[in-house]
Amino acid sequence: MRQATVNKVLTYSVVDGPGNRLVLFMQGCNFACKTCHNPYTIDPCTHCGACIPACYSDALQMVDGKVVFDETRCDQCDNCLKACPISSSPMVSMLTVADVVEITRQYLPFINGLTVSGGEVTVQLKFVIELFEALKSAPDLAHLSRFIDTNGHLGKDGWARLLPVTDGVMLDIKALDPDKHRFLTGQHNRKVLQSARLLHEAGKLHELRYLVIPGHTDTKAEVDALIALILRLDPNLPIRLNAFQHHGVRGAATSWPKATKPVIETIKSRLFQADIPNVITPALYL
Amino acid sequence: MPTTTEKFRRIVEDKTLSFSQKARYLAIEAENSLPYPALDDETAQALEDRVICDMYEGNAPYKPRYVLPDYRIVMQRGSDYLELPAPTTLDEAINTLMIAYHHVPSVTGIPVYIGQLDDLLLPFCEGVSDDALYRKIKLFWRYIDRVLPDAFLHANIGPTDNRVARTILRVDAELKQIAPNLTFLYDPEISSESILEQATNNIVECSKPHIGNHPVHAATFDERGYGIVSCYNALPIAGGASTMPRVNLRKVAECANNVAEFFDSVLPRYMELGFRLCEARIDYLFNKSSFFNSFLVDEGWIERDRFTVMFGVYGMAEAVNILMEKGGAQGKYGFDADANAMGLRMTQQMSEIVNARALKNVWRGRAMLHSQAGISIDKGTTPGMRIPYGTEPDPVSHIRALAPHHAYYTSGISEILTVDETIKNNPGAMLQLCKGAFQAGFREFTANVASNDLVRVTGYMIRLSDVARFQACEGSRTNTTVLGTEAAENTGILDRKPRVVGVELAPSYGQ
């Protein structure tokens, strides 16, 4: 049975789609964002073992050349993350579709649906399709909404396979200007913008997310381009403005200024002025 | 220790108290200058050591702790004593209730129960427009908050979906007052999904109402009914609770040498002392105080034999952790299966002891177990069965850990679940959380939005205490050392304020 590398399963989340969500954070991403707040979900573990001595609660062991993680011993000190030479994480689980279905059943009364996030979901596309198919075909689970949170770096054929079993997509727009996008993420944004159109046409674009990074994505040109994109799609589309903050961020971006409430509110009012009414702003700022 | 008259003078001259607060504290001190009802030495010692506690209800019980009048009586027949005819219009009905409240005693001097308001008012609403109903309820709400300003004063609505309940929810969310506190009784067979949704939306808006699991409560009481009062206590209508002793489980665990001794002798012993404390207080209330020589009894608002005793327990988390350690185990309450099993065993044993102990002058002859939420002087002890603040898991895990206990706490389990502010953008999650809690066996669902230590931000749960530690330049064990001071400045989220203020929280002067 196909397995996925899962960094974390949350059974309570109110920020990953409608209602309370069970959220699967997948390990591995095809972007390398400078502003990533969970950079240890980007690269897969190479099982070098450098993290094992850093773990004082003995939650990590080398078994047959692989680092094995015992979640019950972990007290989330994150020392292993600091010890990892490639900024990955050994705190991952290998889960089958049946495993996730089982967890979902356990928490069924508490959840409105399931959201797969990351890392980047679509890197493990086949697993996600199989999981959603399993949820959709189980009579007791079919009512759960199936959402993904994605960077949109997926082509037409991939979406064609994923969308029939997906109810909604939350799509991150990292930047509108291709050079800026490449600077921030390491990738071109052609596929992302294509995905936005395709998802909207399929009626599956639940929310656009835009990370406001002062000095980078709050410039007039960027916000104008964002407005133009939204207006081409649908002015009533829910737009979530996320505030860049330093929690978890590594490298140069830690010296970039955080997005404060006034910065976010300024962009929100610009969107309002462009007749884009459904703008969601952070409930709190760090 | 100041003498009694010195204490009186300090209260009279206290610059921080209002006139009515002084009058109240003077009354409390006067009562407490009388000798306590006679206790045997062992009970007196346990009370002195505060292993058992009388909630500082006073030395000479002359009123029950909680009184739940059957307001249907005065609404249907009026009152001879108060020279009130039965009301015939909505204005008269509200006016009758406003008068009635002033004659309802309680431990605080302010009524803790103001009625099943939709049932009481609906018969008078025919021909009243929605707008008129809204304006009248709004004035009624203003009156309650300004004249009876106590967070433990409690109104009930539901389980039917009706105009009065809807209007009350609307007004309550709009005014966001401390008083009255509010419970919506939910029954999946009777209540509509949409009124439950309005109620859970209100929680997101103002941390009210509390939601009661009506089928579970109804099965616990009789056809005369029950009410949810004060800090989420379920009690018989036309009665109430004479007294509420409580046992500090942490201290009981400290007194035991090992786990077996705790369960075999120490816990049963201290519970017995708690029963004796009740008996002494109930004897005074029923046989000396003349409380029941009252028009409330004569006219049928209350009945002498419908007063129960709430047997309170708290500090489960500390008790279990102490006993686990004494047994050489590591696991912590709320997180470890063995520790949780021990907690449940404790609950089950306490329930058995309460159900086996006969008490005179108590409804059905037995006390009712209660998970007690704590008062302002408690230190180092977690309310009720709760997982300690600062270490609590997410709300779903918290509910799942506590759910097995709920069946045993027949007079209520006051757990206030803290939910972080990110839910404000997504109130549908609160609805699902509530439904999930009831399906898991919760008797009641209470959530407080704000000031949660554990806050979900984009991908993560972070602890605001870590932010605070960082700000105090101590650094942080978890990976939050880059967090700035904006959290406090922008959100005020570190300013933990008590969800409610209430007289019960500060039972006497100087506490």
Side-chain angles (χ1 to χ4, degrees):
Chain A
M1 202 169 198
R2 191 180 302 280
Q3 284 190 320
T5 315
V6 176
N7 183 274
K8 192 152 190 67
V9 179
L10 287 182
T11 55
Y12 170 77
S13 166
V14 301
V15 297
D16 294 294
N20 184 34
R21 319 289 303 173
L22 192 135
V23 188
L24 238 54
F25 288 96
M26 312 290 270
Q27 180 76 19
C29 187
N30 42 18
F31 281 9
C33 296
K34 290 184 164 60
T35 53
C36 184
H37 59 259
N38 47 5
Y40 52 83
T41 62
I42 296 175
D43 289 320
C45 171
T46 58
H47 301 281
C48 72
C51 53
I52 293 172
C55 179
Y56 57 72
S57 54
D58 294 331
L60 298 171
Q61 281 187 323
M62 188 67 85
V63 180
D64 299 334
K66 298 227 163 183
V67 177
V68 176
F69 171 56
D70 180 357
E71 196 183 344
T72 60
R73 286 172 170 270
C74 175
D75 72 353
Q76 296 169 13
C77 72
D78 290 354
N79 281 344
C80 57
L81 300 184
K82 289 171 204 145
C84 179
I86 58 163
S87 295
S88 178
S89 170
M91 295 184 286
V92 295
S93 318
M94 300 303 291
L95 297 181
T96 64
V97 168
D99 292 335
V100 179
V101 167
E102 169 58 29
I103 296 170
T104 308
R105 283 211 169 90
Q106 257 178 47
Y107 287 88
L108 195 53
F110 294 97
I111 54 175
N112 299 79
L114 196 118
T115 298
V116 190
S117 183
E120 172 51 35
V121 180
T122 55
V123 172
Q124 301 186 64
L125 185 67
K126 285 179 181 161
F127 176 86
V128 179
I129 292 170
E130 278 179 31
L131 172 64
F132 282 5
E133 277 170 352
L135 293 171
K136 195 178 180 181
S137 61
D140 60 327
L141 305 176
H143 68 284
L144 296 173
S145 57
R146 300 171 298 273
F147 273 61
I148 66 166
D149 177 6
T150 177
N151 64 21
H153 195 69
L154 181 70
K156 221 166 60 181
D157 295 348
W159 287 120
R161 290 158 57 209
L162 181 55
L163 286 184
V165 288
T166 303
D167 295 305
V169 177
M170 290 161 292
L171 175 67
D172 268 28
I173 303 286
K174 307 287 188 190
L176 281 301
D177 175 73
D179 292 335
K180 189 159 280 185
H181 195 275
R182 193 185 290 281
F183 168 75
L184 289 172
T185 71
Q187 298 273 14
H188 198 281
N189 64 1
R190 192 180 304 112
K191 273 189 184 171
V192 182
L193 299 175
Q194 232 170 43
S195 293
R197 276 191 296 276
L198 180 152
L199 290 168
H200 172 64
E201 279 160 20
K204 299 279 170 92
L205 186 54
H206 176 70
E207 184 178 284
L208 267 191
R209 296 177 163 185
Y210 189 71
L211 181 67
V212 178
I213 312 164
H216 294 279
T217 62
D218 67 339
T219 59
K220 183 171 185 309
E222 275 298 298
V223 177
D224 284 345
L226 176 68
I227 289 170
L229 171 71
I230 298 165
L231 294 178
R232 276 200 304 277
L233 299 171
D234 175 3
N236 290 312
L237 196 66
I239 312 297
R240 183 181 295 270
L241 297 178
N242 284 327
F244 169 66
Q245 40 88 15
H246 292 159
H247 182 62
V249 177
R250 290 184 189 164
T254 53
S255 62
W256 297 358
K258 289 183 271 191
T260 57
K261 191 170 182 180
V263 172
I264 298 287
E265 291 297 327
T266 305
I267 296 180
K268 182 181 176 176
S269 63
R270 289 205 51 206
L271 296 181
F272 271 154
Q273 282 159 17
D275 291 326
I276 296 165
N278 295 326
V279 182
I280 307 154
T281 55
L284 54 117
Y285 294 81
L286 292 177
Chain B
M1 287 283 280
T3 65
T4 303
T5 47
E6 279 167 357
K7 235 178 179 177
F8 289 167
R9 190 164 300 285
R10 265 176 31 199
I11 293 170
V12 169
E13 295 179 357
D14 192 313
K15 291 183 174 58
T16 65
L17 296 178
S18 69
F19 154 74
S20 57
Q21 286 165 335
K22 288 178 184 180
R24 195 181 102 76
Y25 283 126
L26 284 169
I28 289 170
E29 292 304 332
E31 180 188 343
N32 289 342
S33 67
L34 297 172
Y36 208 87
L39 298 174
D40 64 88
D41 290 348
E42 207 183 344
T43 307
Q45 190 61 50
L47 180 61
E48 171 78 26
D49 298 340
R50 291 289 152 184
V51 184
I52 60 173
C53 173
D54 62 358
M55 299 292 288
Y56 306 90
E57 284 173 358
N59 285 7
Y62 62 100
K63 74 278 176 191
R65 181 176 183 85
Y66 297 130
V67 175
L68 286 76
D70 187 344
Y71 292 105
R72 286 169 293 201
I73 303 285
V74 66
M75 297 298 262
Q76 284 159 15
R77 301 184 207 153
S79 166
D80 290 340
Y81 179 82
L82 296 174
E83 299 175 49
L84 286 174
T88 56
T89 66
L90 183 58
D91 283 337
E92 286 175 12
I94 292 175
N95 184 255
T96 298
L97 286 174
M98 284 160 59
I99 293 167
Y101 297 155
H102 270 271
H103 300 273
V104 177
S106 82
V107 68
T108 63
I110 292 178
V112 292
Y113 181 63
I114 61 166
Q116 183 71 33
L117 291 181
D118 46 3
D119 286 356
L120 293 170
L121 297 179
L122 269 173
F124 303 96
C125 288
E126 213 168 301
V128 177
S129 72
D130 287 347
D131 184 55
L133 179 61
Y134 165 75
R135 282 185 285 110
K136 288 175 202 292
I137 295 282
K138 208 167 163 179
L139 288 177
F140 185 33
W141 241 233
R142 180 197 285 179
Y143 163 84
I144 291 166
D145 184 72
R146 304 307 191 277
V147 178
L148 301 166
D150 192 304
F152 291 99
L153 172 141
H154 215 114
N156 288 191
I157 53 173
T160 61
D161 183 348
N162 62 72
R163 286 174 70 200
V164 172
R166 290 263 181 185
T167 308
I168 284 175
L169 287 170
R170 179 183 162 199
V171 167
D172 204 52
E174 195 183 315
L175 297 180
K176 298 182 176 63
Q177 298 173 163
I178 282 175
N181 207 337
L182 184 64
T183 286
F184 173 72
L185 302 172
Y186 174 66
D187 184 339
E189 300 290 316
I190 299 170
S191 316
S192 68
E193 170 105 358
S194 83
I195 193 164
L196 179 65
E197 192 177 357
Q198 189 181 352
T200 52
N201 286 349
N202 269 31
I203 297 175
V204 172
E205 189 76 24
C206 62
S207 293
K208 286 196 281 175
H210 163 80
I211 310 215
N213 191 340
H214 179 64
V216 172
H217 286 301
T220 305
F221 294 89
D222 58 15
E223 65 287 345
R224 189 86 187 255
Y226 70 96
I228 305 290
V229 311
S230 180
C231 194
Y232 318 123
N233 312 316
L235 294 169
I237 293 276
S242 297
T243 181
M244 176 169 71
R246 58 173 192 159
V247 173
N248 182 334
L249 296 174
R250 174 175 65 86
K251 287 193 174 179
V252 177
E254 282 167 358
C255 294
N257 290 310
N258 55 56
V259 177
E261 191 185 73
F262 175 87
F263 283 105
D264 294 344
S265 59
V266 182
L267 179 63
R269 186 70 199 150
Y270 278 109
M271 287 187 71
E272 174 54 27
L273 301 182
F275 291 124
R276 289 188 201 165
L277 177 65
C278 291
E279 285 177 323
R281 299 187 61 82
I282 291 169
D283 178 61
Y284 192 90
L285 177 69
F286 277 71
N287 299 321
K288 304 268 171 47
S289 78
S290 81
F291 172 79
F292 291 99
N293 300 334
S294 158
F295 83 95
L296 295 171
V297 178
D298 298 340
E299 295 187 0
W301 299 37
I302 58 173
E303 292 176 18
R304 190 182 158 100
D305 58 4
R306 290 184 64 81
F307 284 83
T308 185
V309 162
M310 296 168 62
F311 197 97
V313 294
Y314 71 114
M316 165 76 77
E318 288 77 14
V320 168
N321 292 345
I322 287 167
L323 292 174
M324 289 294 286
E325 222 176 292
K326 286 186 174 174
Q330 299 263 312
K332 291 274 184 252
Y333 178 74
F335 300 92
D336 175 77
D338 292 342
N340 289 352
M342 184 188 287
L344 189 59
R345 180 182 167 197
M346 212 182 287
T347 286
Q348 286 165 337
Q349 181 171 349
M350 293 188 296
S351 172
E352 279 166 26
I353 291 172
V354 164
N355 292 334
R357 178 62 157 82
L359 289 167
K360 251 194 264 177
N361 287 320
V362 169
W363 183 60
R364 289 178 169 172
R366 297 289 185 278
M368 298 175 83
L369 197 59
H370 179 67
S371 169
Q372 208 270 325
I375 49 178
S376 60
I377 54 167
D378 295 340
K379 290 205 177 76
T381 314
T382 301
M385 307 299 112
R386 205 183 190 289
I387 299 170
Y389 288 106
T391 67
E392 65 266 69
D394 69 80
V396 170
S397 306
H398 204 164
I399 289 169
R400 281 165 49 95
L402 294 175
H405 292 271
H406 272 236
Y408 301 95
Y409 292 90
T410 51
S411 62
I413 179 161
S414 311
E415 312 294 2
I416 299 174
L417 215 61
T418 40
V419 178
D420 78 75
E421 291 176 301
T422 52
I423 205 165
K424 287 181 176 170
N425 284 331
N426 188 359
M430 186 65 88
L431 175 66
Q432 195 62 35
L433 210 54
C434 176
K435 285 159 79 175
F438 284 165
Q439 214 166 316
F442 260 41
R443 301 184 87 82
E444 35 222 18
F445 176 82
T446 308
N448 186 23
V449 178
S451 305
N452 193 355
D453 191 38
L454 198 61
V455 175
R456 182 72 205 295
V457 186
T458 60
Y460 292 93
M461 297 293 232
I462 63 156
R463 290 199 180 283
L464 291 171
S465 52
D466 288 343
V467 182
R469 251 205 308 280
F470 176 79
Q471 286 165 336
C473 302
E474 288 178 36
S476 167
R477 189 176 69 79
T478 53
N479 187 23
T480 55
T481 46
V482 286
L483 290 163
T485 53
E486 287 94 333
E489 287 165 8
N490 291 346
T491 68
I493 199 158
L494 300 179
D495 305 329
R496 271 185 186 249
K497 292 187 186 73
R499 178 167 173 277
V500 290
V501 293
V503 182
E504 276 182 47
L505 287 172
S508 65
Y509 183 65
Q511 284 187 340

